[in-house]
Amino acid sequence: GIVDFNGGSYFFYHNGALPGGGGFTRSVAVEKFTYNADGTIPTMNMTTAGAPQVGTLSPYSRQEAETIAWETGVETEPSSEGGRNVGWIENGDWIKVKGVAFGASPGAVSFTARVASAASGGRIELRLGGTSGTLVGTCNVSGTGGWQNWVNVSCPVNGVTGTHDLYLRFAGGSGYLFNVNWWQFAA
């Protein structure tokens, strides 16, 4: 499909380029393009970078957990609170959110997430720049008595400023750890 948005044209397609991908395990991809002078669509080349980011994301507004630029291991599912949540989270899984604009000093000082767990829970590690990047905070998640029994958890953050790719890295024991519905930082 093609979408014209904010002065740019974007070509959406699917491929099996992820590890284990194929005919029934495809992922969405997008490329920015410019129409040919005669108005026709140019030949598209598949890339791994995708389209450039149109703008930054504010961490100080509530963000749905399924706001994902890239991920490993997680899936989405219907949420009892409406919309969707991220689930099927296991130790080592992660979510990347591109271009998060924390602003100038003092920046972000706390993080809150809406979580649920029928197991013993785990941790959300907040990292900048990569899954092993700078650790700026860790939120502990306890069992809540059900995969859709939602509670808020909060933790301090080390005054994050500037614009960064944010990684929510999930850690804990074996099996599924918890679900996440939304998250938000506070300045």
Side-chain angles (χ1 to χ4, degrees):
I2 293 175
V3 174
D4 292 318
F5 174 75
N6 205 23
S9 296
Y10 301 88
F11 179 73
F12 288 82
Y13 60 100
H14 61 258
N15 64 38
L18 291 176
F24 294 102
T25 50
R26 297 173 287 196
S27 58
V28 175
V30 61
E31 307 294 340
K32 186 174 183 180
F33 74 96
T34 302
Y35 288 96
N36 293 322
D38 65 359
T40 59
I41 299 169
T43 300
M44 300 287 171
N45 292 316
M46 182 174 70
T47 69
T48 56
Q53 189 163 342
V54 175
T56 57
L57 181 133
S58 171
Y60 306 115
S61 299
R62 186 176 114 169
Q63 300 295 330
E64 294 298 315
E66 60 274 17
T67 302
I68 299 171
W70 204 261
E71 57 80 21
T72 293
V74 303
E75 298 180 29
T76 65
E77 65 183 0
S79 171
S80 64
E81 296 187 319
R84 300 191 71 77
N85 64 259
V86 171
W88 314 105
I89 296 170
E90 296 179 277
N91 185 53
D93 291 349
W94 53 267
I95 291 172
K96 174 185 178 181
V97 183
K98 289 177 65 174
V100 180
F102 292 97
S105 184
V109 297
S110 68
F111 173 85
T112 300
R114 186 94 168 138
V115 298
S117 178
S120 59
R123 300 180 308 280
I124 304 171
E125 297 175 356
L126 306 168
R127 295 185 174 271
L128 304 179
T131 58
S132 298
T134 303
L135 179 65
V136 297
T138 301
C139 261
N140 292 314
V141 177
S142 300
T144 65
W147 294 114
Q148 295 291 314
N149 291 346
W150 299 100
V151 299
N152 292 354
V153 295
S154 296
C155 59
V157 173
N158 298 332
V160 182
T161 61
T163 300
H164 302 275
D165 290 345
L166 171 69
Y167 286 75
L168 282 67
R169 186 181 178 282
F170 307 110
S174 61
Y176 298 121
L177 304 176
F178 51 87
N179 294 341
V180 182
N181 193 6
W182 55 261
W183 57 265
Q184 182 172 359
F185 285 84

